[in-house]
Amino acid sequence: MRRLLFLLLFVATAASAAIAPLNYRHRTLANGLDFYSVEDHSTPAVGIQITYRVGSKDDPPHRSGFAHLFEHLMFKSTAHMKAEMIDRLTEDVGGENNASTGDDVTIYYETVPSNYLRTLLWAEGDRMASLNVDEANFKSEREVVKEEFRTGVLGPPYGLFYYSIDKDSYAKHPYKRPTIGSIEDLDAATLADVQAFHRTFYRPDNAILIVSGDFDPKQLDAWVDEYLGAIPKPSTPIPRVTAAEPPRAKEKRFDEHGPNVPLPAIAITWLIPPAENADAEPLTIAEAVLGSGESSRLYQSLIYRQQIAQDVNADADLRMSTGLFAVTATLASGKTTAAVEKALRSEVKKLIDGNVTATELEKAKNFVITAALRRRETTLGKGSAVRDAVIYHHDASYANRGLDRLQAVTAADVQRVAKKYLAGKPVVITYTAGGAK
């Protein structure tokens, strides 16, 4: 009971509480590596993150899934480590490791007891400098990625639905290539293709190192210089995506199908600006008002009152370039996509035309800010807040300013961004049972 009361008090005061800043240091090494550190001695642990500025948007044409492929390949052998050695260096000492691929970046991270920091910095330097991108590793990890496609996209009832959202929502930007890739593109890839991709993007001047937690700053600097600063900077330029998503001139509709769909689903998407835009925070609060929790507008209207949907969601997907605001729903049994589309549009129009109440605004802020604060309770989470600020805002100080900006959002701001973006031309995607495309 006391735990419940504490959580309620925490949520009720998060949006108005003074938030302790994250104190970070930054250096750019001679080889171009961006290095940030966040010192925190509250627990004897450290989080190490290497973020490469390469995501699915950077996949070569007709070679989707390359960034995702390297999420796996980077755990294979190097000049000095056997395959999966990172697992032994982390899990065997009570730590953990993982990686994730996004549209804009690929992130590799570990949490270990702080006395293993030196070992992991050596390991990160070794796989940056001497990864074995050979035929055996390429073929084995390609099969792993293909199996992930089968189990994550083709197998689940709504896998193809979520796979379709980016594909159908973007007309020109390479965000339209889903991050996981495709079996056809992976099968068409050659070892030479993959080696060229690796040479192009997996290098110190395309990476961000963030170390957070329990360390001695002088010792950390020395180790970073020794194990990562000595890696040569290639002389070749790093290509960057320059394609821009054009404004939508008209509404578009797509009918997608899956082979094992128990109930239809629908998505409506609008284009929104990059994460660094000043409208990002109001859009995040608009997402919470519409779709976060059982008291949100979509849940109350479509699930509770009308009983025409079994689940609903709103998502302000902010990216380095043009993002998507999406509302989605899975239909209740016996209901039609037309009825659910009408209800979704109605709730979005109410946000455009009507006021957000003070209670709704406070609740939305509490939801968003509390999630951010809980993330920062962990060693890795503190570093992740700095990482995201650097990636999406090109400024580490946003890790501290961003929460203040969320706190400053007004009801008028939410209505303004709803009018500006959600009154535009949407893409409507319906998803029903049928043969997979």
Side-chain angles (χ1 to χ4, degrees):
M1 184 62 162
R2 283 187 302 216
R3 166 93 175 148
L4 176 60
L5 291 173
F6 171 77
L7 289 174
L8 290 173
L9 178 63
F10 183 78
V11 171
T13 58
S16 60
I19 298 169
L22 291 171
N23 296 314
Y24 61 87
R25 294 187 309 131
H26 174 237
R27 286 199 298 138
T28 301
L29 277 58
N31 61 6
L33 178 73
D34 258 345
F35 169 39
Y36 293 83
S37 59
V38 184
E39 190 175 354
D40 174 23
H41 300 285
S42 59
T43 59
V46 287
I48 304 105
Q49 303 183 58
I50 292 274
T51 299
Y52 291 92
R53 294 182 176 95
V54 55
S56 57
K57 72 178 183 186
D58 302 292
D59 290 341
H62 310 296
R63 293 294 183 270
S64 66
F66 269 31
H68 180 207
L69 177 65
F70 270 95
E71 177 193 324
H72 294 263
L73 277 170
M74 291 286 276
F75 288 88
K76 304 305 287 183
S77 62
T78 69
H80 306 101
M81 291 192 293
K82 297 179 181 179
E84 283 78 47
M85 188 67 181
I86 291 287
D87 294 337
R88 306 285 62 78
L89 296 177
T90 54
E91 295 170 5
D92 290 0
V93 299
E96 61 179 356
N97 73 83
N98 214 325
S100 64
T101 309
D103 308 285
D104 298 304
V105 294
T106 309
I107 304 165
Y108 304 85
Y109 53 94
E110 304 92 31
T111 302
V112 291
S114 50
N115 56 317
Y116 289 94
L117 171 59
R118 182 178 189 176
T119 302
L120 267 299
L121 290 174
W122 168 83
E124 285 292 5
D126 193 49
R127 68 174 172 179
M128 181 186 290
S130 65
L131 184 70
N132 289 330
V133 187
D134 57 25
E135 190 77 24
N137 287 340
F138 162 51
K139 287 186 174 179
S140 71
E141 296 315 295
R142 178 170 62 179
E143 292 307 309
V144 171
V145 173
K146 287 163 61 176
E147 187 58 25
E148 283 191 0
F149 185 92
R150 296 184 187 100
T151 58
V153 176
L154 300 181
Y158 298 96
L160 285 168
F161 173 58
Y162 293 106
Y163 184 81
S164 298
I165 291 177
D166 280 2
K167 175 176 68 70
D168 294 342
S169 294
Y170 288 99
K172 182 178 179 181
H173 198 282
Y175 284 153
K176 75 185 283 84
R177 296 194 299 255
T179 300
I180 197 169
S182 75
I183 290 176
E184 294 78 13
D185 284 356
L186 289 166
D187 279 341
T190 67
L191 177 61
D193 294 334
V194 175
Q195 290 172 333
F197 189 79
H198 180 255
R199 286 193 302 271
T200 300
F201 293 108
Y202 294 83
R203 45 197 275 182
D205 54 331
N206 198 40
I208 305 165
L209 167 67
I210 299 180
V211 178
S212 51
D214 179 35
F215 56 79
D216 175 82
K218 290 184 179 179
Q219 184 64 82
L220 173 62
D221 283 347
W223 287 337
V224 169
D225 289 341
E226 180 180 0
Y227 299 124
L228 291 120
I231 300 171
K233 175 183 176 179
S235 60
T236 53
I238 303 170
R240 298 299 183 196
V241 171
T242 58
E245 181 67 13
R248 292 174 179 168
K250 61 181 181 179
E251 178 177 317
K252 291 184 179 180
R253 305 183 70 89
F254 296 87
D255 296 318
E256 299 287 354
H257 306 281
N260 55 346
V261 181
L263 293 167
I266 185 169
I268 308 175
T269 73
W270 296 265
L271 300 177
I272 56 176
E276 63 182 343
N277 188 280
D279 288 338
E281 292 82 16
L283 283 163
T284 299
I285 300 301
E287 169 198 307
V289 169
L290 277 174
S292 295
E294 294 185 5
S295 61
S296 66
R297 291 188 177 190
L298 292 179
Y299 188 99
Q300 286 292 304
S301 176
L302 277 73
I303 295 179
Y304 183 70
R305 290 195 298 271
Q306 299 184 63
Q307 298 182 8
I308 59 174
Q310 70 166 6
D311 68 62
V312 290
N313 187 51
D315 181 26
D317 185 0
L318 296 155
R319 312 183 187 195
M320 288 182 67
S321 188
T322 303
L324 292 179
F325 195 103
V327 292
T328 61
T330 305
L331 277 59
S333 181
K335 306 304 177 181
T336 66
T337 54
V340 174
E341 178 184 346
K342 181 179 179 181
L344 289 171
R345 286 178 180 265
S346 175
E347 290 305 317
V348 171
K349 192 171 190 309
K350 288 176 184 176
L351 190 67
I352 293 170
D353 295 339
N355 293 323
V356 175
T357 68
T359 299
E360 282 184 305
L361 184 65
E362 181 182 16
K363 182 172 56 181
K365 288 182 181 180
N366 284 340
F367 187 93
V368 173
I369 294 172
T370 298
L373 292 178
R374 284 179 173 164
R375 181 189 190 198
R376 295 180 188 214
E377 291 177 349
T378 68
T379 298
L380 199 67
K382 291 178 176 67
S384 297
V386 174
R387 178 200 71 208
D388 289 348
V390 173
I391 293 168
Y392 296 106
H393 299 272
H394 314 291
D395 181 3
S397 72
Y398 183 83
N400 295 319
R401 295 184 294 104
L403 295 180
D404 292 336
R405 290 176 64 89
L406 284 166
Q407 288 176 327
V409 172
T410 66
D413 290 331
V414 176
Q415 186 179 30
R416 175 181 57 79
V417 297
K419 287 181 178 179
K420 185 174 182 179
Y421 303 107
L422 307 188
K425 304 298 184 184
V427 163
V428 181
I429 305 163
T430 57
Y431 182 72
T432 56
K437 291 185 177 181

